Amino acid sequence: MRHIISIIVENKFGVLSRVAGLFSGRGYNIETVAVGPTLDPEVSQMTIVTNGDDQVLEQITKQLNKLIDVIKVVDLTEKEFVERETALIKVAPPPEGRAEVLRTAEIFRARIVDSSPKTSTLQVTGDEKKIAAIIELLKPYGIKDLVRTGKVAIARE
Amino acid sequence: MRHIISIIVENKFGVLSRVAGLFSGRGYNIETVAVGPTLDPEVSQMTIVTNGDDQVLEQITKQLNKLIDVIKVVDLTEKEFVERETALIKVAPPPEGRAEVLRTAEIFRARIVDSSPKTSTLQVTGDEKKIAAIIELLKPYGIKDLVRTGKVAIARE
């Protein structure tokens, strides 16, 4: 099953490596990772999206809780949550495709963040389905570069 | 100096742990990390933001290039690039602060992605300065939860 796990960690050397090592050591693949600061400069927050056996994940969660630099582990999968990621997509459409790229950007509320005679770079934020859909629509226009943040999620109230 | 490094890797167990381990093994701190899929399901892309000595980073880059699962390492710092991250910010303002939260959201082109009688959750995408500015403005209204994707960057044309 797919899980979204939020881990609060002390902002210290090697935490990311140790956390990631716990997953890979058990043959558990990580789909996306996002690590960023919190309001406390000593503390970082990681969001990890994984897919795999629930029992193995339970073991990993227990091990994570034992790591000295791990403050808190929350499996958001059991809750209602909002999930978002951002993609930057650079396309190099032929001249006759440029209008369609702009139209696609509008539909997806994407913003053009860079533009050159031959390329346009779109910034789009949404859930997994939205990002997948815009990528699919832009593919015929020549995706030249694509970078995606990992997913982040926050519990609904 | 601050560096933004893009690393293309084979999507295999343990790559993230090995890459992160190279940084921490040299006492080099990672500020943010974003790992996501590419158009090729076998390949992932990592964006790492670090701060530290240029020479040490050069050594790390060399070591990264030697890792069997690393396909490509690009230091974007030397180029012109667009940098973005996304934050989800849950605030619990007092009743008299709610209008101001909505106004702040509007100014920053943030979107309300969840709303309850006592809380609002904002989604905002931008560069580091923009994210820092909106967080600062929302602090007085009671930030209850905050998650941030790592930064991603794409070269300008």
Side-chain angles (χ1 to χ4, degrees):
Chain A
M1 194 187 148
R2 187 162 167 276
H3 285 267
I4 297 197
I5 299 152
S6 171
I7 309 170
I8 308 290
V9 295
E10 302 268 354
N11 192 8
K12 284 190 183 151
F13 297 132
V15 183
L16 173 61
S17 173
R18 283 194 292 279
V19 168
L22 268 187
F23 285 84
S24 58
R26 289 177 180 269
Y28 213 91
N29 214 0
I30 291 177
E31 271 180 32
T32 75
V33 183
V35 187
T38 65
L39 293 178
D40 179 347
E42 312 271 293
V43 172
S44 292
Q45 188 268 339
M46 308 174 62
T47 307
I48 294 184
V49 179
T50 64
N51 222 318
D53 183 70
D54 283 6
Q55 272 188 311
V56 177
L57 187 74
E58 209 184 304
Q59 288 168 4
I60 292 172
T61 307
K62 274 183 194 157
Q63 302 258 354
L64 281 172
N65 274 309
K66 280 183 198 157
L67 285 183
I68 192 154
D69 295 328
V70 169
I71 299 166
K72 198 177 163 192
V73 183
V74 179
D75 189 342
L76 281 158
T77 324
E78 295 145 20
K79 306 180 177 181
E80 284 280 305
F81 59 86
V82 182
E83 169 201 316
R84 288 293 183 273
E85 67 176 299
T86 292
L88 298 174
I89 311 167
K90 191 185 284 176
V91 286
E96 67 275 18
R98 300 207 85 180
E100 194 52 37
V101 166
L102 294 181
R103 232 181 335 258
T104 305
E106 225 171 88
I107 292 166
F108 284 84
R109 296 212 227 174
R111 292 177 57 190
I112 308 291
V113 291
D114 186 49
S115 186
S116 76
K118 289 196 174 159
T119 65
S120 295
T121 301
L122 285 70
Q123 162 202 317
V124 62
T125 301
D127 60 10
E128 190 166 290
K129 274 186 194 167
K130 180 174 170 181
I131 305 290
I134 190 169
I135 289 173
E136 213 45 56
L137 277 174
L138 290 174
K139 263 186 192 169
Y141 300 105
I143 294 181
K144 216 184 144 196
D145 203 356
L146 164 70
V147 289
R148 295 167 74 162
T149 68
K151 291 180 190 67
V152 287
I154 201 163
R156 285 188 191 276
E157 290 291 311
Chain B
M1 195 187 148
R2 188 163 167 276
H3 286 267
I4 298 197
I5 300 151
S6 171
I7 310 169
I8 309 289
V9 296
E10 303 268 356
N11 190 7
K12 284 188 183 152
F13 297 131
V15 183
L16 173 62
S17 173
R18 283 194 293 279
V19 167
L22 268 187
F23 285 84
S24 58
R26 289 176 180 270
Y28 213 91
N29 213 1
I30 291 177
E31 271 180 32
T32 74
V33 182
V35 187
T38 65
L39 293 178
D40 179 348
E42 312 271 294
V43 172
S44 292
Q45 188 268 339
M46 307 174 61
T47 307
I48 293 184
V49 179
T50 65
N51 222 317
D53 184 70
D54 282 7
Q55 272 187 312
V56 178
L57 187 75
E58 210 185 304
Q59 288 168 5
I60 292 172
T61 307
K62 275 183 193 155
Q63 302 257 356
L64 281 172
N65 275 308
K66 281 183 197 156
L67 286 183
I68 192 155
D69 295 327
V70 168
I71 299 165
K72 198 177 163 191
V73 183
V74 179
D75 190 341
L76 281 158
T77 324
E78 295 144 21
K79 306 180 176 180
E80 285 279 305
F81 59 86
V82 182
E83 169 201 317
R84 288 291 184 274
E85 67 177 298
T86 292
L88 298 175
I89 311 166
K90 190 185 285 176
V91 286
E96 66 276 18
R98 301 208 83 180
E100 195 52 38
V101 167
L102 294 180
R103 231 176 342 255
T104 305
E106 224 171 89
I107 292 166
F108 285 84
R109 294 215 229 175
R111 292 177 58 190
I112 309 291
V113 291
D114 186 48
S115 186
S116 76
K118 289 196 175 160
T119 65
S120 295
T121 302
L122 285 70
Q123 162 201 319
V124 61
T125 301
D127 60 12
E128 189 165 290
K129 274 183 194 168
K130 180 174 170 180
I131 305 289
I134 190 169
I135 288 173
E136 213 45 56
L137 277 174
L138 289 175
K139 263 185 192 169
Y141 300 104
I143 294 181
K144 213 184 145 195
D145 202 356
L146 164 69
V147 290
R148 295 168 71 163
T149 68
K151 291 180 189 68
V152 288
I154 201 162
R156 284 188 192 276
E157 289 292 310

